[in-house]
Amino acid sequence: MSVERQTVDFYEEDSKLYDSSRFQDRKGLQIDVVQQSIVSDLCGDVKSKKVLELAVGTGRFTKTMLGKGADLVGVDTSISMLRITRKKISKSVSAKSSLIRADATKLPFKENVFDYVLSINALNHMPNYSDAITASSRVLKSNGFFVFNFPSAASIFLPIALLVNAREKSVIRPVFSKWYNPKQVFNTLFKNRFNLETVEGHIPIGFAQLAIDKLFRKSFFRLFSGVLFIKAKKS
């Protein structure tokens, strides 16, 4: 069985406990607050903008983008995840949205369609993440933005990164995962007509998260954060 198929199967099953196991205790709630803040900061005003969200999962950011007035299309390979997201956003304000089962590396859209592509907590679960960046560039308009994050191997969590990369699995869950060297990711962006706009750091540990965020998020120390959030602009 391919890694891609294993990943899809994992999230089909994991969807049942995804929110409760990650974002409903104190640690998870704090991480969600920080991640939502970073994404809102990087995306800015998305009202009436065409936004494509890759790997929507259970719709944490889908609901946020719709609440800000985005015209959103969300994709995921997991039918179960899409069902959960659809249920969440059905109670949101009446907004333009559609959810499609699709692979982030093989997007079924025309070129130069979207103003934003958003991908949070997803690229590290794609063995061919560079294909997702290439696909994102293809569907983005010129001067459109790609907002995404990835776990950084060049961080204070290097021992964890080495373990994950050796196993090609998350430390906690049996799903493909990889931590990337920022230079590797940035070079892939440049090859796909992207220029870096903003880099913000995130230490996803939960404990005293808001205080730690102030230290790592935008200062020089952000380069050593466990997770980097990127805003890149297509030329």
Side-chain angles (χ1 to χ4, degrees):
M1 183 184 297
S2 69
V3 172
E4 290 84 358
R5 182 68 255 173
Q6 291 175 353
T7 301
V8 172
D9 290 347
F10 171 82
Y11 281 111
E12 285 289 347
E13 182 64 26
D14 192 55
S15 63
K16 303 170 185 176
L17 300 173
Y18 188 90
D19 285 340
S20 62
S21 64
R22 290 170 173 79
F23 301 111
Q24 291 186 359
D25 60 6
R26 182 181 176 184
K27 173 184 174 181
L29 289 171
Q30 288 184 333
I31 288 175
D32 184 52
V33 166
V34 173
Q35 291 187 348
Q36 294 282 0
S37 175
I38 293 174
V39 170
S40 293
D41 184 34
L42 293 180
C43 288
D45 183 9
V46 295
K47 186 175 182 179
S48 300
K49 299 293 186 181
K50 292 186 179 297
V51 177
L52 171 64
E53 184 182 1
L54 308 182
V56 297
T58 57
R60 278 198 304 142
F61 298 98
T62 313
K63 189 173 181 180
T64 299
M65 291 293 105
L66 290 175
K68 292 179 177 294
D71 179 354
L72 185 140
V73 176
V75 302
D76 204 296
T77 54
S78 168
I79 294 176
S80 297
M81 289 291 196
L82 290 171
R83 284 174 180 157
I84 292 172
T85 297
R86 186 171 288 110
K87 185 176 180 179
K88 279 186 181 180
I89 65 175
S90 66
K91 299 178 181 179
S92 301
V93 295
S94 56
K96 295 180 180 179
S97 64
S98 59
L99 298 176
I100 301 170
R101 188 185 187 192
D103 187 329
T105 67
K106 303 170 185 176
L107 296 171
F109 308 109
K110 295 180 180 179
E111 296 181 3
N112 309 314
V113 174
F114 297 97
D115 300 297
Y116 283 82
V117 173
L118 177 66
S119 180
I120 304 300
N121 302 337
L123 293 189
N124 57 304
H125 298 304
M126 300 178 191
N128 48 352
Y129 84 96
S130 62
D131 289 345
I133 293 178
T134 300
S136 296
S137 177
R138 183 182 66 80
V139 302
L140 270 172
K141 300 175 182 176
S142 293
N143 298 318
F145 295 101
F146 184 29
V147 175
F148 68 101
N149 69 345
F150 66 93
S152 171
S155 72
I156 59 176
F157 297 101
L158 178 59
I160 297 176
L162 293 175
L163 176 62
V164 170
N165 287 352
R167 300 173 65 243
E168 293 193 335
K169 288 190 184 300
S170 168
V171 172
I172 300 174
R173 298 176 177 88
V175 62
F176 175 87
S177 187
K178 192 169 183 179
W179 291 45
Y180 298 115
N181 185 311
K183 180 180 288 189
Q184 175 187 9
V185 175
F186 296 160
N187 284 339
T188 302
L189 288 172
F190 299 148
K191 291 177 182 178
N192 286 280
R193 298 177 55 196
F194 284 113
N195 295 309
L196 284 177
E197 288 272 310
T198 310
V199 178
E200 296 194 18
H202 174 43
I203 304 288
I205 59 175
F207 177 75
Q209 182 64 61
L210 300 182
I212 293 174
D213 177 57
K214 291 180 180 179
L215 175 62
F216 279 89
R217 184 165 164 182
K218 295 186 178 182
S219 72
F220 169 79
F221 295 108
R222 73 187 187 281
L223 301 176
F224 304 101
S225 299
V227 178
L228 295 182
F229 281 73
I230 309 296
K231 181 177 184 178
K233 186 176 183 179
K234 180 182 173 182
S235 61

